[in-house]
Amino acid sequence: MGRTVTVAVCTLNQWAMDFQGNFQRILSSIQEAKNQGARYRLGPELEIPGYACGDHFHESDTFLHSWEILAELLQSPITQDIVCDIGMPVMHKNVSYNCRVIFCNKKVLLIRPKKHLCNEGNYRETRWFTAWRKQRVVEDHFLPRLIQDITGQSTVSFGDAVLSTLDTCVGSEVCEELWTPASSHIDMSLDGVEIICNGSGSHHELRKGHTRYDLVRQATAKCGGAYLFCNMIGCDGERVYYDGGSMISVNGELVAQGPQFSLQEVIVTTATIDLEDIRMFKNSFRSRSESASQSPIYPRVTVDFSLSDGEEYNLKPVSDPVEPLRHTPEEEISLGPACWLWDYLRRSRQGGFFLPLSGGVDSSSTACIVSSMCHLVCRAVQAGDKTVLEDAQRLVGEENYVPSDPRDFASRIFTTCYMASENSSEETRTRAVGLAQQIGSYHLNINIDVAVKAILAIFTTACMVVPKFKVHGGGLRENLALQNVQARVRMVLAYLFAQLCLWARGRSGGLLVLGSANVDESLRGYMTKYDCSSADINPIGGISKTDLRRFIQYSINRYKLTALASILNAPPTAELEPLTNGQIAQTDEEDMGMSYDELSVYGKLRKQKYCGPYSMFCKLIHLWRDKHTPIQIADKVKFFFRSYSINRHKMTVLTPSYHAEGYSPDDNRFDHRQFLYNAQWPWQFAAIDREAKRISDCWKRNPGLIQARNSGKSDGSSRSPVSSTRGGNKDSNSTTRTGQAGSSIMGVTVSTDVPIHPENTGTALLEPAVSTDAPAVLVSALNTTQVDGFTHDPLSLTGSRKRCGLHVGVAETFGCGSFKVSMMFADTASVKRGRCNHCQESEPSIPGNHGLVSDKWRWETDDGRAKQDVDRVALHCGREMHFDTVNLHTVLCS
């Protein structure tokens, strides 16, 4: 006969230092757990004071008020007949610990301190707490007098112990102890502990949820038992969002899971488990039983209480396994920052948000997140959440208002503004207006030129010079200054409108200014200090441009925001330089000198892989092996670190941003680094240059290394560097297409920067199973070389189907099929003798020494006449060529 136990994990939206509110939520969760039949209630980490108290943990008031709240809980009739597991700080022998305080029926049973503190990323627990290092040791802790008066106890066990009830054994972990390699749950399980509880404070990061699920499931998969994981939810007053997802696992299977994102303040998730199932599962593993028979013993605190007490202890149905709920990254962006914004808005007691809406991806993403928040609010109200309804009514200043339409709610709490200048295009204005209409925001269109000109007039009057844009003959400093003044004027106006917009509309309160700089731009420093990136909060400051673009597409599909389609397809631009014929002439990636995809790679290597300049170069040599030469990669790495270090000072005033990525450059807590650098990085860059030269020289001496490297082989096998790369698929539905510039074949770079028509398309790129009668590719005329820093004698080529010319082709069989490369020359005189100074050979050796397998090239006319064999051919000497090369710097000798 089974013996069932019902347990509860309580996900709470706590707020640091809000002792009154935290107390009410804790009490409410205990009542709800009892209503669902639970006999054990687990809450999140440090739930009484709130997790993010920071240096308030150095204050005696924080400890005093925590004990006062515990006293209120002990005396409440709601906490009777249930074991309550509460998180709070405790001072033991003048040392502060992050603890679990477990009590039942007005008796404190055990104070269990945290054994492994989290001290990386966003966490600094060792600043305030000390880890308990005495394994399986307990001491007497003298309770405060206000607790003694309630419990009649003078001391309680403090340390690494477990609870032994009348029917089972319960152990505790705290947050980080689940993640550490030396987790306690293994040893506790081997010593007979059947239920392990973990009160946690785990923040949200994109793509992190599955990691928590795997850890919880594996905690019971090896040793059996039940594992209760309880997390916080909401904005605790910091840059992070705690994303709930509390769960219960039994014998390696998930049996209950709470929501990951929600506006609810109290979420209680329960499961009914059969203790006999746990015992039989444990006993079935003989190797586990052998280990358990020799395991060290934990001190046990006996409790005269049964978790399965009552006549119906074996009649409750056991919870069935469930599939884990997992969100896509796009859904996470839609939900996490939206919930964070709601908490910040209602707790700051402001009247809404103000957003400078430029019509670009970043500001549009911020607008979409606010729209998602409005949808969540309306759904919560419809579901009967009274707390959300009361907050919404207070925000709009109407006590009878019931939000039911997200667009209507947005019009009351969300103001957007397009701030045009003479450099703004009509396209971006139209996009901004269209998106505002679909979201429902109260939208304004203003022009900032008057303010900009007034500021410039002050400068001109004082200095007697007129700065000009670069396109008008100005220098770089003038160009940047003229862009920055526009950006900073927008920031000033944003705060002015945020303070007075509601006043102008006859409503009370002010608006929070939202920023919209993404994590990649912050990393690069591609922003004006104190421009619109300077705001009250930024919901996308920890999200990459790549993820934001995916989120925009998700919003199109999910919320039917069709105005986003044109925004998604438009090139990112700051619109701070003059237009050219009314069109945008400035793009972000061109200004930055790098792509957003490259920025994401740099950011992850710098932060997540702990790479300095030299280490980053060494990793990118392999990561970008098919894209760039070592010299090019070295230049890219050095340019990034110069840009990063020059702009690092901007991170000191970075707007508080939602933390979503593991490579955020936020220096407030997550990314502690200096902000004054020697931007030349002389020692590090010299190391990069030496390594780049060494690799280049090695490749010149051993061309086969390039082919082996690109083919993923280490045996020196001669294979085309682009044998697995195509220059675009053939599209029979197209009338014309343009070839990919600089296609590399067997060390030869063919420039196809002229249109390639379907009837003339040959095999400029290596393709499998190409027929021998494929027509030749048109090759444009080339006369100069010097792409990679070396000088090559060029082939002056012209290509035209109107002239009878010569074909130079090579056919060779590789492991993946038969290939043919064919080029059309104007005449034999176009083929010139020369040498490549990579090898400094005037009479190059046979092609096999230059990475070619073929030993013969054949020249033939279009009509098959005048054939001539050439058995001594020198192509490019083995130096890797790239698709973006526009010169055919090949030496052909006979």
Side-chain angles (χ1 to χ4, degrees), residues 562-788:
T562 55
L564 292 170
S566 60
I567 295 172
L568 185 62
N569 295 326
T573 175
E575 285 196 324
L576 295 172
E577 294 188 25
L579 303 175
T580 301
N581 298 323
Q583 301 299 314
I584 298 170
Q586 178 187 28
T587 62
D588 289 348
E589 291 188 341
E590 182 179 354
D591 279 0
M592 290 191 299
M594 59 191 73
S595 69
Y596 283 105
D597 288 340
E598 287 176 336
L599 263 175
S600 291
V601 173
Y602 296 144
K604 290 172 182 176
L605 289 176
R606 182 196 70 100
K607 179 65 178 176
Q608 295 176 318
K609 300 299 182 181
Y610 311 104
C611 288
Y614 177 74
S615 298
M616 184 181 292
F617 167 76
C618 292
K619 288 187 180 293
L620 289 177
I621 281 292
H622 303 288
L623 187 63
W624 288 347
R625 60 185 179 272
D626 296 327
K627 298 180 180 180
H628 307 293
T629 66
I631 301 299
Q632 289 172 328
I633 293 173
D635 290 340
K636 284 178 174 289
V637 170
K638 290 187 289 185
F639 179 71
F640 164 72
F641 272 97
R642 276 194 296 266
S643 302
Y644 157 78
S645 54
I646 290 170
N647 291 288
R648 179 67 186 181
H649 65 95
K650 297 177 182 178
M651 297 304 97
T652 62
V653 295
L654 191 67
T655 296
S657 302
Y658 181 94
H659 178 86
E661 279 288 0
Y663 66 92
S664 169
D666 172 25
D667 85 332
N668 173 267
R669 177 175 295 177
F670 186 72
D671 188 39
H672 285 183
R673 300 171 197 251
Q674 70 205 70
F675 56 86
L676 178 60
Y677 282 90
N678 181 348
Q680 303 306 312
W681 300 79
W683 190 274
Q684 295 92 328
F685 286 1
I688 291 176
D689 292 337
R690 288 193 301 271
E691 186 67 9
K693 184 178 185 303
R694 186 188 69 82
I695 295 173
S696 299
D697 292 344
C698 183
W699 288 355
K700 284 187 288 184
R701 293 191 301 269
N702 303 283
L705 291 176
I706 305 174
Q707 296 167 342
R709 178 176 63 91
N710 288 320
S711 64
K713 298 181 179 180
S714 59
D715 56 2
S717 172
S718 295
R719 182 175 178 180
S720 169
V722 293
S723 59
S724 61
T725 307
R726 308 276 179 95
N729 294 324
K730 205 170 189 177
D731 185 0
S732 58
N733 297 324
S734 303
T735 55
T736 62
R737 65 187 176 101
T738 301
Q740 182 174 356
S743 305
S744 176
I745 313 110
M746 301 285 294
V748 181
T749 301
V750 180
S751 173
T752 54
D753 55 355
V754 295
I756 299 178
H757 301 276
E759 65 272 16
N760 294 339
T761 301
T763 57
L765 294 179
L766 225 50
E767 299 274 347
V770 176
S771 62
T772 57
D773 57 351
V777 176
L778 294 178
V779 183
S780 63
L782 299 166
N783 294 304
T784 117
T785 66
Q786 201 128 27
V787 173
D788 58 354

Side-chain angles (χ1 to χ4, degrees), residues 172-185:
S172 290
E173 288 188 326
V174 187
C175 196
E176 182 71 9
E177 296 173 32
L178 173 64
W179 301 75
T180 183
S183 294
S184 300
H185 61 258

